[in-house]
Amino acid sequence: MSRLSKKEPSLCTAEPLKDGDVCRKLAVFKQMLASCFGPRGRLKQIHNNVGGQVQTTSTCAVLLKGVPMSHPILKLLAASVSNHVSRFSDCGLFAAILSCSLIEHAQRLGVEASVVMRIYKHVLGVCVDYLSHEECGCKVCIDFSSSHTLLSLARSVITSKPACMVTSQEALHISSLVVQAFLQMIPCETGGSVRLGKVVLVSIEGHGARESAMFPGLMVDMPETLASADLERLDQGQIKMVLFSVSLSGDLSETGEGTVEVGFRVHPETAILYQLLRVGEKMVSDRVDLFACQKVVHPVLKQYLKEHHVVVIDRLGISLMEPLTQMTGAQPIATIWSPVPAHCYGQLSGLRVQSFGSKQMLNLVPAQDSAVCSLVLCHRNETMLSELKVVCQSAEHILRLTLRNPFALLGGGCMETHLAAYIRSKCCVGNVAAWSELGCSRSEYLLTVESFCHSLEVVARSLEHDGGQSLTDLSCGHRWVAPDTASADSQWKDLVSTCGCGWLGRREGVKWAVLGSQYPSFTPMLTEDGVSHNLVLDSFPAKLNALQVAVETANLIVDLQYIVQDVN
């Protein structure tokens, strides 16, 4: 009993945001994420003290998963952003930086938390209404008759993660492959319910990114028992296949749940092996050409099937079962003790060997037009390849989202600066009804609206990491970058030729303002078609949801009065 410690009472912290230590942790968290933001973001190396893999990344999902959070507020913020990323795959850093900035500004305003929350919610409604409107000035329509906008959207995702370490030509090549894979997974038939296909990512280390390729069908590891004679024989017609989801290793533990009664002088392993061979005989009599299994196949069964010219592929894994079923029409068989129905067999049109340096893979070619394809990603080392795989998964998911909501938002910080200009013109000019309905004074309303706009501009300014100046034009409200040597006295003649998103080219007679400074309110103009096909775009549904998540999470944290922690 002497070794038992006394139970300590729970620790209760009142008004946690007034604690200087909490504010410092929140500021460090924001600084860490902001330094990763955009194509010029700085990389982070993550290594746990107790060991594990060293990760080099600037991706939000990897960062939040790998960096342990010490405070409940940070855990709440990270959980909220992680949930958004799990649903939309993008704009996690945007949501986290904006939410942190809104919380910081709310603490500095000197306005009651309940008033700040009401005004933040009101401004969020203004933002959502504007972004959802047809005449929104920072939204473009996805044109499915051309690949330009789809390519821009995919390339924007890939180039935004510097840990991928790809050149502009490699980024364009991989973006085109992602778009091809996306189009491949859309079925050709129309009418009724349409089921989207599947893009399976395969990563191969040790080769340049330009060697990445897309193949219809599935890519699997080369079977040990496959001979060139088998390929020649199976290349002459349809390939009949069978697919097992149960282990065929012969272990007694794979027979399922329940009680097994073993008779006297009966060897269970021998009985199971006998049943496996009976399954093999059935496959041979049904003229099966390809025998596929999710798990392990017993060596004796493998040898028997090989002697009867049946190709065996095992250890497929659960991730390939759904696309393989969809592509071949085969129904997974979950037992060896029942006859295999005829409708459970599937078909392929061929087997192709694809070489990537010294590594060979087997391409299972579908028997007809299939919405299943394999995207083989190559890169020079494991770190780059791991990041590239995560980014390509995000890009493919974002392209899927365009089928439901065919719009994109201008990237490169232009959406944030344009939206900030719109909010100022909408909320701060003669909007008497707003602050009376919200139950606040005019000064409280204007201060909080300005802090919201400034938070959006903080996100836009976070894209610059090399000391340059972030500006906005006082006509359309886009973001521009000038080198650190430029000044207002030179009328910003050293500006880049296009804005952050690439939609606008530099024009004469435009007035400029430094982002984060005070400048007169103006109504941002709608613009005509962009000057460049190489636009920087963000997913509309992902960024709209990220905006809502950021504001709602900030309001939740601003409203916290107590934190109760069990310290035992």
Side-chain angles (χ1 to χ4, degrees):
M1 295 295 292
S2 61
R3 283 182 282 178
L4 295 177
S5 58
K6 183 180 177 181
K7 185 175 181 180
E8 297 291 334
S10 298
L11 179 64
C12 182
T13 306
E15 297 183 330
L17 288 182
K18 291 186 178 180
D19 185 347
D21 185 50
V22 174
C23 293
R24 281 191 297 272
K25 290 179 179 178
L26 194 63
V28 170
F29 180 72
K30 174 192 166 187
Q31 184 181 3
M32 177 189 72
L33 297 181
S35 65
C36 298
F37 196 39
R40 297 173 184 265
R42 305 310 190 224
L43 305 183
K44 299 292 179 287
Q45 266 199 344
I46 306 171
H47 185 227
N48 197 298
N49 280 338
V50 296
Q53 183 182 8
V54 178
Q55 294 176 299
T56 303
T57 186
S58 64
T59 305
C60 181
V62 180
L63 279 170
L64 295 182
K65 185 178 180 181
V67 178
M69 304 298 166
S70 60
H71 195 275
I73 286 181
L74 295 183
K75 291 179 181 178
L76 173 61
L77 183 56
S80 181
V81 174
S82 296
N83 181 60
H84 161 78
V85 174
S86 68
R87 294 175 56 210
F88 292 92
S89 299
D90 196 23
C91 300
L93 291 176
F94 166 83
I97 297 167
L98 178 59
S99 189
C100 289
S101 185
L102 289 170
I103 296 167
E104 288 181 352
H105 281 91
Q107 290 304 108
R108 298 173 189 162
L109 288 175
V111 180
E112 288 187 12
S114 59
V115 175
V116 172
M117 291 165 54
R118 289 198 299 272
I119 299 174
Y120 276 177
K121 187 175 180 180
H122 164 72
V123 179
L124 175 62
V126 174
C127 294
V128 172
D129 290 343
Y130 177 63
L131 293 175
S132 303
H133 198 272
E134 291 183 0
E135 295 186 357
C136 173
C138 57
K139 183 171 70 173
V140 297
C141 183
I142 301 293
D143 181 11
F144 288 101
S145 64
S146 170
S147 62
H148 288 308
T149 48
L150 293 174
L151 269 174
S152 295
L153 192 54
R155 186 176 59 247
S156 299
V157 177
I158 292 168
T159 56
S160 68
K161 305 303 177 186
C164 293
M165 297 292 181
V166 290
T167 65
S168 57
Q169 291 299 317
E170 289 172 338
L172 180 59
H173 174 67
I174 294 171
S175 302
S176 64
L177 292 179
V178 172
V179 173
Q180 288 177 42
F182 163 70
L183 296 175
Q184 178 73 31
M185 76 172 190
I186 301 175
C188 297
E189 66 270 9
T190 58
S193 60
V194 177
R195 182 186 180 188
L196 291 180
K198 185 79 173 178
V199 179
V200 178
L201 296 183
V202 180
S203 53
I204 297 179
E205 183 183 348
H207 304 279
R210 290 296 296 271
E211 296 185 38
S212 302
M214 193 276 292
F215 298 94
L218 286 177
M219 300 289 288
V220 298
D221 290 331
M222 194 72 174
E224 298 175 358
T225 59
L226 184 64
S228 57
D230 295 324
L231 293 174
E232 294 175 2
R233 177 175 52 82
L234 296 176
D235 197 30
Q236 299 174 0
Q238 297 291 329
I239 299 174
K240 188 176 183 179
M241 69 162 292
V242 68
L243 178 63
F244 281 85
S245 59
V246 66
S247 174
L248 305 180
S249 63
D251 293 337
L252 189 63
S253 60
E254 298 294 342
T255 56
E257 298 180 356
T259 304
V260 179
E261 293 184 3
V262 181
F264 182 63
R265 291 182 178 178
V266 173
H267 298 283
E269 292 80 5
T270 304
I272 294 174
L273 179 57
Y274 175 73
Q275 182 62 28
L276 289 176
L277 290 175
R278 289 187 62 186
V279 171
E281 291 173 359
K282 174 65 173 173
M283 298 300 104
V284 172
S285 65
D286 287 351
R287 297 185 177 181
V288 170
D289 301 303
L290 179 64
F291 187 99
C293 182
Q294 175 187 336
K295 300 180 181 179
V296 180
V297 177
H298 196 285
V300 174
L301 178 58
K302 270 188 182 180
Q303 182 63 30
Y304 176 82
L305 292 172
K306 180 183 178 182
E307 290 174 356
H308 290 81
H309 309 292
V310 179
V311 177
V312 179
I313 303 176
D314 64 345
R315 304 176 191 267
L316 284 172
I318 193 171
S319 61
L320 291 183
M321 295 300 287
E322 181 184 352
L324 190 56
T325 301
Q326 185 177 352
M327 181 181 77
T328 63
Q331 299 300 314
I333 299 167
T335 180
I336 62 173
W337 304 101
S338 301
V340 178
H343 67 270
C344 288
Y345 293 118
Q347 282 191 334
L348 290 169
S349 68
L351 303 177
R352 304 282 186 273
V353 177
Q354 305 291 345
S355 298
F356 300 89
S358 60
K359 185 176 179 62
Q360 288 188 324
M361 301 197 73
L362 186 64
N363 183 17
L364 309 183
V365 183
Q368 52 190 355
D369 287 337
S370 173
V372 175
C373 64
S374 296
L375 181 57
V376 180
L377 297 175
C378 302
H379 219 326
R380 291 173 285 276
N381 63 46
E382 182 183 1
T383 299
M384 300 174 187
L385 186 59
S386 176
E387 188 83 348
L388 183 62
K389 187 174 181 178
V390 171
V391 171
C392 287
Q393 286 174 333
S394 300
E396 186 263 330
H397 186 197
I398 286 167
L399 293 178
R400 279 178 180 251
L401 295 176
T402 61
L403 295 174
R404 181 178 297 177
N405 208 330
F407 295 97
L409 292 173
L410 301 180
C414 291
M415 187 281 282
E416 291 84 349
T417 54
H418 179 92
L419 191 58
Y422 175 81
I423 294 169
R424 287 191 179 101
S425 66
K426 182 75 174 178
C427 298
C428 297
V429 180
N431 198 356
V432 180
W435 61 73
S436 58
E437 291 175 2
L438 292 170
C440 62
S441 66
R442 179 176 182 272
S443 60
E444 288 175 333
Y445 178 79
L446 294 178
L447 277 173
T448 308
V449 169
E450 181 60 31
S451 74
F452 193 104
C453 297
H454 188 67
S455 296
L456 286 171
E457 292 177 347
V458 166
V459 178
R461 287 160 54 199
S462 298
L463 288 166
E464 180 55 44
H465 303 278
D466 299 322
Q469 288 269 28
S470 291
L471 310 177
T472 183
D473 62 275
L474 301 185
S475 56
C476 298
H478 284 226
R479 172 182 170 269
W480 302 73
V481 178
D484 54 353
T485 55
S487 65
D489 297 335
S490 64
Q491 298 182 346
W492 307 108
K493 291 181 180 179
D494 295 329
L495 277 175
V496 293
S497 58
T498 60
C499 65
C501 67
W503 189 268
L504 297 178
R506 184 176 178 181
R507 307 182 305 278
E508 296 295 331
V510 176
K511 295 182 179 179
W512 309 95
V514 177
L515 277 182
S517 65
Q518 294 292 329
Y519 55 87
S521 175
F522 67 97
T523 302
M525 297 189 307
L526 299 178
T527 56
E528 301 298 330
D529 292 341
V531 299
S532 171
H533 287 308
N534 297 326
L535 297 176
V536 178
L537 299 176
D538 289 323
S539 169
F540 174 75
K543 201 152 195 178
L544 183 62
N545 189 78
L547 177 64
Q548 293 171 313
V549 166
V551 178
E552 291 165 0
T553 305
N555 275 350
L556 181 62
I557 293 175
V558 167
D559 194 36
L560 284 177
Q561 294 298 315
Y562 295 95
I563 295 178
V564 181
Q565 293 176 272
D566 185 2
V567 295
N568 292 288

